Amino acid sequence: MAVFLFTSCQPATQVGTESLREEPPLILLNRNVLERVKHEVARGNAEQMPAYGQLIAVADTMLTATPLSVTMKKQNPPSGDKHDYVSRDPYWWPDPDTADGLPYICKEGLHNPECHEFTDRLYMERTTDMVSKLSLAFYLSDEEKYAQQAANLLRVWFINPETRMNPHLNYARQIPGICEGQGTGIIDTRCIAQMLDYVILLQASPSWTESDKTAFAQWIDDYTSWLLTSENGQSEAKEHNNHGTWYDFQVTAQALFLNKKDIARKQITQSTRSRMDSQLETDGEQPFEIAGTCPWTCSTYNLLAFVLQAKMGERVGVNLWEYVTPRGATLRKAIEWYFPFLNGEKAFVKEEMTDIRETAPLAEVLMLTSRFDTEMYSKQLEDLVKFTNDKFNLSTSTLSLTMPVIAGPVLSDADFFNALNLDYPGLANVKQAVSEGNYSEAITAWTVYLRNRTNVKWYFDWHDFAKPESRNLEFDSTDADKVASRYITVCGTPYQFGEEIDWSLNPTDNKYCEWTWQLGRHRQWQDLREGYWATGDERYAQAWANELRSWIIQSPLIDFEGSAEYSHWRTIEAGIRTLYAWSDAFFGFLPSKAFDDELMFWMSKSLYEHATHIRRYHKKNNWFAMEMNGLFHICMLMPEFKQSASWANYAITKMYEDQQIQFYPDGAQIELAPHYHGVSVTNYFEMASIAQLNNYAIPADFLNGMEAAHQCYMNIYMPDGCMPSVNDSDWGDNNGLSEKDFKRKSEIYYARDSGNDDIRTYLGNISKILPHRTDFLYVATQGAQGTYPAFTSTWMPWAGWYIMRSGWGAKDLYAFYEVGPHSAGHSHEDKLSVILHAYGSRLLTEAGLYAYDTSDMRGYVVSSRAHNVTRVDGMDQNRSALRDNDLIKHSRQPMANRWITNEEVDFGEGWYDEGFGAYNDSTVTQYRALAFIRKKYWLLIDVFTPTDATEHEYRTWFHLNQPTAQVNQQPFGVSTGNTEYRKNKNSTLPVLTPNGC
């Protein structure tokens, strides 16, 4: 048995950000589309299965293919090293007028069959093609055999010392008698750059090891450096035709693979833009390509390279799509230049092929230009696909493997208007236009209606925007200016986007998924809206409009749950952004011309898409609260939808019922993390608030359960105004209740004005609608108002929390002792942990929080080592292994642990018998009791009961809230050296057992 006496003891050092792994983001492929395809394949979608079956059939034939190597060629390079790539220029022939045929002469457009004797290009293209198809087969099927073969092929060509290709093209496109190699051969390796996305898909495979990744990345790095610095590389860079554009493509793609975005950005902004200036005529024609012997083929290949550069420009914030050359040329004009020829309106007299429609790259161009998704583009693509009998699906084209990228909004105009209750008051003009099939007029009527309706209310009236009192001359525009310039901070990590936001970007060193997810919560829009109203500056409205438009385009609605990495449609984000950011922005930017008819219509469509997605795929616990709140806000904002009434009723009813599920009878939210307790509480009040504002009737006792939830907050309230850092919860704020917090725009609780996890603010707000809880008001105002609580210490038998205190003042003694279930989510291995606070200082603390990732640091903060508990034989508690055991996650009845409280002492107890270590070794059971001798000290009593006679090691961890500590021998204990409160001499932690065990 061990007994510890605590009498006194700053926060433990906060953990910082830790890198996980360097995984390059996808370069051209779209994660959302990949996820969609994989989901459709998994459920056997009839449209995808033929293409998937074809892919798997092809990949199966590749499983037994012999890996190819650059060393397999018959020729010896000029260097004598067969690891050097060699190829022959296809357009040069022996001179018939010389005995040895030297020097060769050019016959532009005619291929010399001798070039086929040089196998390096063939083998390289074959290798990259096999890797791409095998990797995609692995991604879609999760069968490791495909990744295993892909990794083997990559090792042979790029990594193994015996077989690898040297990372240069010094001897590409030789011309006998003239040169040993030339820059024009660099176009041969574009297949490597096109393969890189598929190498990234191998990251999830154990067959593609860390050493493989490092070696392959080094090869790409070395080759990129050669492209940028070598004589041949510089020569190709100066080409003013498709050779130069594909050179740009290779440098850009490889730089993105290496996460060298500065190189990629420079290549696009300086080189590719310059090529567009020189290569594109005002009408979109490409004169350098048209002048050649293969005008249609070369021009379409060149256009494809430009389009790929534009796609990659999105990754680094460079908008090539809208770039206008000095002559007025644009990529759109370059694409549409082809349409009259395809339609037969013009004859292409310089044609080298049987039919111009056989050029596959043009179909790929149309598939990659989703931002120009007009009927004309769709029709051209449909005709090309029909003519060539090429679906351009999963197995036929390296660059189109994931099918066309769909842009949002997905909902058609017809479907949107069908979703409206056209008999709703005020929609007569919309109904008339729809009945006539005039959707253009219907859109105008709809947006006019939205700007003039008075039946929907928000927490401010947008008509007040023009009033002088809406301006704030003292407004600090720093944050709004940053967001307007696309400098956005998420999860504490800032990032400067370029001309457009890539909503799938993840700039964190450790690829922390939450960064991308939370970017999609659009919290930065509040800064823009506040800046717009305070200053009247239209650039804030324009910045918001640009962000909303780009998000909708990049985020087509999906018809599955969408919780994977980089997903734009996790239901928690869908709920969070619609319950505030979107609603607030809708009303906040109504006065602006930037919020034009098209964008308002798109936003209306997207709100409907959000509602259908949340209703179909919502989850539980605090996610459920945010999802239902978001759904309900959509219904309040858009009551004109046919389903708004039923959705709103569903949200309110389910939230009402969920009170009995989310909160224990003692008021604790079942995740047992005070932060997430607040998330659920807040969403209840926000729903009640917006309902009251719009005269929507909710059950009279909808908020009744919130009294117990706030009682829980009062119970756990710490002397410094914080809350205990339990499970995935920090200490919260302790700013106290400001004057602003009493001045609500609504008589009901309005949580958005409150502090973040500030218990005093929560209690102050609830005291306004529960006036009989004057004790809540007392704690909220630190005794300035209200009445002194009738209790000090308490026991919460459902949550399993003991709270022992000497009073409600800032210098009173306080203990939090947890003995309850592992919780329904956000759990740590911390049963029997104790937190202490006394004389205005935290004595025993915990290690805190860390990002929700898979890092070692995350593993530490959730482990027993990060809490004030005991490890047995070097093993942590391991309730997480039993998480599927219902009683581990939930209390189904109040716990029967003893609770003794009187004027002299508080006493609580708990047991840990769920097992230690990876295999939940239950040999030892721990009993811990905490006794609080009122206003003096605590006694912590540990009893360890083994079921065997073996000697065991028990190590009890205490996280002292001081930067230093000293171990004392006589008496044995630990002194923190705390001299901040000199009147308190008991700043030691003595151990009251003979050997300090």
Side-chain angles (χ1 to χ4, degrees):
M1 182 177 79
V3 182
F4 303 92
L5 172 68
F6 299 94
T7 59
S8 95
C9 38
Q10 264 201 58
T13 303
Q14 292 296 309
V15 295
T17 303
E18 175 185 289
S19 292
L20 275 175
R21 61 193 185 281
E22 288 292 336
E23 286 190 8
L26 288 172
I27 300 165
L28 284 165
L29 298 183
N30 184 297
R31 284 187 182 274
N32 288 328
V33 176
L34 277 172
E35 184 185 352
R36 176 195 293 269
V37 172
K38 185 169 184 175
H39 176 79
E40 295 298 333
V41 166
R43 71 179 192 177
N45 182 284
E47 292 183 6
Q48 290 298 326
M49 293 315 290
Y52 173 70
Q54 184 182 354
L55 171 70
I56 293 301
V58 171
D60 284 341
T61 67
M62 295 173 175
L63 291 174
T64 56
T66 300
L68 302 171
S69 166
V70 72
T71 60
M72 291 178 173
K73 59 177 167 284
K74 299 176 181 178
Q75 303 84 5
N76 271 325
S79 64
D81 185 354
K82 281 200 170 185
H83 293 273
D84 291 338
Y85 178 93
V86 175
S87 65
R88 180 69 62 82
D89 193 307
Y91 302 122
W92 288 75
W93 296 69
D95 186 344
D97 295 331
T98 62
D100 57 2
L102 301 177
Y104 273 32
I105 59 175
C106 181
K107 297 182 181 181
E108 188 66 39
L110 295 178
H111 283 251
N112 183 349
E114 288 180 6
C115 67
H116 300 306
E117 298 175 8
F118 291 76
T119 57
D120 285 354
R121 178 178 177 178
L122 175 65
Y123 290 174
M124 179 174 62
E125 291 178 347
R126 175 63 174 158
T127 296
T128 56
D129 179 64
M130 287 195 293
V131 168
S132 299
K133 289 183 170 63
L134 287 164
S135 297
L136 188 66
F138 159 70
Y139 173 82
L140 294 176
S141 70
D142 290 322
E143 290 198 38
E144 186 61 26
K145 62 183 180 181
Y146 300 116
Q148 206 170 31
Q149 175 70 337
N152 192 30
L153 296 171
L154 286 168
R155 289 189 202 102
V156 171
W157 192 273
F158 295 99
I159 298 174
N160 293 347
E162 301 82 8
T163 57
R164 72 190 292 265
M165 171 185 163
N166 289 332
H168 67 75
L169 262 62
N170 290 334
Y171 309 116
R173 295 217 175 179
Q174 297 175 342
I175 304 176
I178 295 180
C179 65
E180 292 182 342
Q182 55 181 329
T184 55
I186 289 173
I187 200 170
D188 292 356
T189 51
R190 70 183 185 274
C191 62
I192 294 176
Q194 292 168 344
M195 173 191 69
L196 294 177
D197 269 333
Y198 303 95
V199 176
I200 294 171
L201 292 183
L202 288 177
Q203 300 290 332
S205 167
S207 297
W208 189 235
T209 67
E210 290 301 319
S211 61
D212 291 333
K213 297 173 191 175
T214 300
F216 181 77
Q218 186 62 57
W219 194 99
I220 297 296
D221 196 10
D222 291 343
Y223 183 54
T224 305
S225 296
W226 181 87
L227 286 175
L228 293 171
T229 60
S230 68
E231 180 180 348
N232 284 356
Q234 290 303 297
S235 173
E236 188 77 338
K238 295 174 184 177
E239 291 287 339
H240 288 284
N241 57 15
N242 66 87
H243 277 262
T245 316
W246 282 105
Y247 170 88
D248 285 353
F249 167 77
Q250 292 184 64
V251 172
T252 305
Q254 290 167 193
L256 287 175
F257 178 81
L258 298 168
N259 276 330
K260 295 183 177 182
K261 294 181 181 177
D262 54 337
I263 295 177
R265 187 178 294 109
K266 179 180 178 182
Q267 200 68 29
I268 295 171
T269 56
Q270 296 185 16
S271 182
T272 307
R273 278 179 176 171
S274 178
R275 293 190 202 285
M276 291 175 66
D277 293 347
S278 65
Q279 294 186 40
L280 300 182
E281 292 288 0
T282 302
D283 64 353
E285 182 179 290
Q286 303 171 54
F288 294 110
E289 307 301 337
I290 297 300
T293 56
C294 302
W296 187 272
T297 300
C298 290
S299 63
T300 54
Y301 268 102
N302 193 44
L303 180 61
L304 176 58
F306 275 131
V307 167
L308 293 174
Q309 285 297 92
K311 294 296 290 185
M312 290 189 288
E314 296 172 3
R315 300 291 191 216
V316 292
V318 180
N319 188 353
L320 278 187
W321 299 110
E322 309 299 333
Y323 176 67
V324 182
T325 73
R327 287 187 282 187
T330 64
L331 272 181
R332 182 164 188 160
K333 289 181 180 179
I335 297 166
E336 294 175 1
W337 178 86
Y338 290 86
F339 291 172
F341 300 108
L342 294 174
N343 296 334
E345 298 170 15
K346 286 185 180 180
F348 194 76
V349 297
K350 297 184 67 175
E351 185 45 47
E352 78 278 7
M353 300 185 310
T354 303
D355 195 304
I356 57 176
R357 291 174 294 176
E358 291 180 348
T359 309
L362 189 55
E364 300 205 32
V365 164
L366 294 176
M367 296 178 76
L368 290 164
T369 52
S370 57
R371 67 176 52 233
F372 305 141
D373 187 20
T374 65
E375 289 185 14
M376 176 171 56
Y377 278 62
S378 300
K379 180 68 166 57
Q380 295 293 352
L381 178 59
E382 182 181 350
D383 289 347
L384 283 174
V385 170
K386 247 181 224 179
F387 178 82
T388 59
N389 195 28
D390 187 345
K391 303 292 185 186
F392 292 98
N393 52 27
L394 291 172
S395 60
T396 58
S397 168
T398 301
L399 293 172
S400 302
L401 283 169
T402 59
M403 71 186 188
V405 176
I406 301 170
V410 171
L411 193 68
S412 71
D413 295 355
D415 287 341
F416 174 79
F417 287 114
N418 186 54
L420 286 180
N421 174 11
L422 295 176
D423 292 321
Y424 196 90
L427 294 184
N429 290 340
V430 179
K431 182 176 182 179
Q432 179 64 31
V434 170
S435 68
E436 296 171 356
N438 190 341
Y439 291 133
S440 177
E441 184 61 34
I443 292 170
T444 300
W446 169 247
T447 55
V448 168
Y449 162 79
L450 290 178
R451 289 188 175 92
N452 290 280
R453 66 181 180 174
T454 58
N455 59 307
V456 175
K457 300 187 185 305
W458 189 243
Y459 296 99
F460 54 80
D461 185 343
W462 73 270
H463 296 90
D464 293 340
F465 174 79
K467 296 179 180 179
E469 53 264 35
S470 292
R471 303 294 172 262
N472 179 4
L473 298 179
E474 298 179 357
F475 178 73
D476 183 352
S477 65
T478 302
D479 291 339
D481 289 339
K482 287 180 179 178
V483 177
S485 67
R486 296 168 299 284
Y487 183 83
I488 299 176
T489 298
V490 181
C491 297
T493 300
Y495 183 76
Q496 178 64 67
F497 286 94
E499 295 178 11
E500 185 175 356
I501 292 176
D502 177 356
W503 296 97
S504 296
L505 187 73
N506 186 340
T508 59
D509 290 338
N510 61 353
K511 293 295 171 279
Y512 184 39
C513 299
E514 287 286 342
W515 199 97
T516 308
W517 285 326
Q518 294 195 30
L519 173 67
R521 296 179 182 181
H522 303 153
R523 285 172 171 152
Q524 71 275 13
W525 290 358
Q526 184 174 6
D527 293 321
L528 293 175
R529 203 276 295 170
E530 290 178 351
Y532 179 54
W533 276 65
T535 66
D537 192 335
E538 280 290 325
R539 65 191 177 92
Y540 296 126
Q542 188 61 59
W544 167 77
N546 292 342
E547 288 198 17
L548 174 60
R549 183 174 278 106
S550 71
W551 187 88
I552 291 175
I553 289 172
Q554 295 178 41
S555 309
L557 178 67
I558 57 179
D559 58 354
F560 53 97
E561 184 179 291
S563 293
E565 296 180 12
Y566 302 95
S567 173
H568 297 186
W569 283 97
R570 274 206 321 176
T571 47
I572 183 175
E573 274 75 49
I576 288 173
R577 60 179 168 254
T578 50
L579 72 89
Y580 185 53
W582 280 49
S583 300
D584 196 64
F586 181 90
F587 291 100
F589 293 109
L590 268 175
S592 173
K593 292 181 179 178
F595 197 10
D596 57 28
D597 288 357
E598 179 190 56
L599 187 59
M600 190 176 295
F601 186 55
W602 279 19
M603 191 177 191
S604 303
K605 281 185 173 183
S606 193
L607 284 167
Y608 185 83
E609 291 175 346
H610 275 80
T612 58
H613 187 71
I614 294 170
R615 175 63 181 84
R616 184 175 182 183
Y617 295 110
H618 61 71
K619 297 185 181 297
K620 57 185 179 180
N621 297 339
N622 72 82
W623 279 41
F624 178 81
M626 289 179 278
E627 292 156 356
M628 291 300 100
N629 193 4
L631 178 61
F632 190 73
H633 270 72
I634 294 171
C635 298
M636 295 298 100
L637 176 59
M638 293 291 176
E640 300 84 2
F641 293 149
K642 288 177 181 175
Q643 292 179 272
S644 284
S646 62
W647 284 337
N649 181 66
Y650 180 86
I652 285 289
T653 301
K654 289 300 180 182
M655 282 286 277
Y656 181 73
E657 295 172 353
D658 203 56
Q659 285 186 14
Q660 309 304 315
I661 301 172
Q662 284 227 30
F663 296 94
Y664 287 126
D666 58 17
Q669 199 261 357
I670 59 174
E671 290 169 276
L672 300 182
H675 166 74
Y676 291 102
H677 179 101
V679 169
S680 291
V681 166
T682 296
N683 281 277
Y684 275 93
F685 281 96
E686 287 183 335
M687 290 179 72
S689 179
I690 193 66
Q692 184 191 56
L693 195 62
N694 286 278
N695 298 314
Y696 182 90
I698 61 175
D701 58 348
F702 180 74
L703 294 179
N704 281 7
M706 295 303 99
E707 180 171 358
H710 282 74
Q711 178 68 56
C712 171
Y713 263 145
M714 181 177 171
N715 291 345
I716 65 176
Y717 172 83
M718 296 177 67
D720 59 0
C722 293
M723 56 190 184
S725 178
V726 183
N727 292 319
D728 274 333
S729 182
D730 59 16
W731 302 96
D733 292 341
N734 59 353
N735 299 320
L737 196 65
S738 67
E739 182 179 356
K740 173 186 176 184
D741 292 317
F742 283 113
K743 294 180 179 179
R744 300 296 170 197
K745 296 172 182 171
S746 152
E747 291 181 359
I748 205 166
Y749 181 90
Y750 184 44
R752 297 187 185 100
D753 285 342
S754 67
N756 176 33
D757 290 338
D758 185 334
I759 287 182
R760 285 178 286 195
T761 300
Y762 279 121
L763 294 176
N765 283 315
I766 189 73
S767 69
K768 291 184 300 181
I769 60 173
L770 299 175
H772 66 285
R773 292 306 304 260
T774 54
D775 52 347
F776 285 174
L777 187 59
Y778 181 93
V779 175
T781 61
Q782 295 179 286
Q785 300 178 46
T787 56
Y788 193 86
F791 70 98
T792 52
S793 302
T794 190
W795 158 238
M796 299 175 64
W798 294 82
W801 290 346
Y802 290 103
I803 300 94
M804 306 175 184
R805 70 175 83 238
S806 60
W808 293 93
K811 296 295 180 70
D812 277 303
L813 277 61
Y814 169 98
F816 181 90
Y817 176 33
E818 51 181 317
V819 301
H822 195 43
S823 84
H826 292 282
S827 306
H828 289 198
E829 299 293 351
D830 58 355
K831 189 175 183 180
L832 308 185
S833 187
V834 177
I835 295 171
L836 300 180
H837 197 288
Y839 309 113
S841 177
R842 201 175 301 152
L843 310 183
L844 281 187
T845 186
E846 299 205 356
L849 302 179
Y850 196 74
Y852 299 163
D853 57 23
T854 56
S855 65
D856 290 341
M857 189 58 73
R858 172 64 181 173
Y860 166 71
V861 299
V862 302
S863 73
S864 296
R865 291 162 291 151
H867 303 86
N868 301 307
V869 298
T870 302
R871 303 179 78 213
V872 175
D873 296 329
M875 297 183 292
D876 286 347
Q877 296 179 8
N878 190 20
R879 288 192 291 174
S880 62
L882 307 174
R883 66 172 63 91
D884 293 331
N885 182 329
D886 184 62
L887 294 181
I888 297 294
K889 295 192 297 183
H890 299 282
S891 290
R892 292 306 180 195
Q893 59 185 4
M895 300 175 70
N897 303 41
R898 285 182 296 173
W899 168 235
I900 301 170
T901 182
N902 54 50
E903 294 182 358
E904 302 297 328
V905 67
D906 293 329
F907 175 88
E909 63 185 354
W911 290 262
Y912 184 80
D913 57 4
E914 290 94 342
F916 295 87
Y919 301 103
N920 293 91
D921 187 332
S922 299
T923 304
V924 173
T925 297
Q926 179 183 1
Y927 169 85
R928 171 172 281 186
L930 181 66
F932 176 39
I933 311 304
R934 290 291 187 101
K935 299 186 179 181
K936 294 182 181 180
Y937 53 81
W938 293 271
L939 286 173
L940 184 67
I941 304 168
D942 281 337
V943 178
F944 303 96
T945 305
T947 58
D948 59 12
T950 305
E951 184 177 286
H952 296 277
E953 177 187 75
Y954 308 112
R955 288 182 178 267
T956 300
W957 294 60
F958 295 114
H959 294 261
L960 309 178
N961 195 24
Q962 288 289 334
T964 60
Q966 177 181 341
V967 177
N968 305 316
Q969 297 300 323
Q970 295 295 331
F972 187 82
V974 177
S975 172
T976 64
N978 186 355
T979 58
E980 182 180 357
Y981 304 102
R982 294 180 182 275
K983 64 181 181 180
N984 302 315
K985 304 300 182 182
N986 298 323
S987 58
T988 59
L989 190 77
V991 182
L992 304 182
T993 51
N995 298 316
C997 299

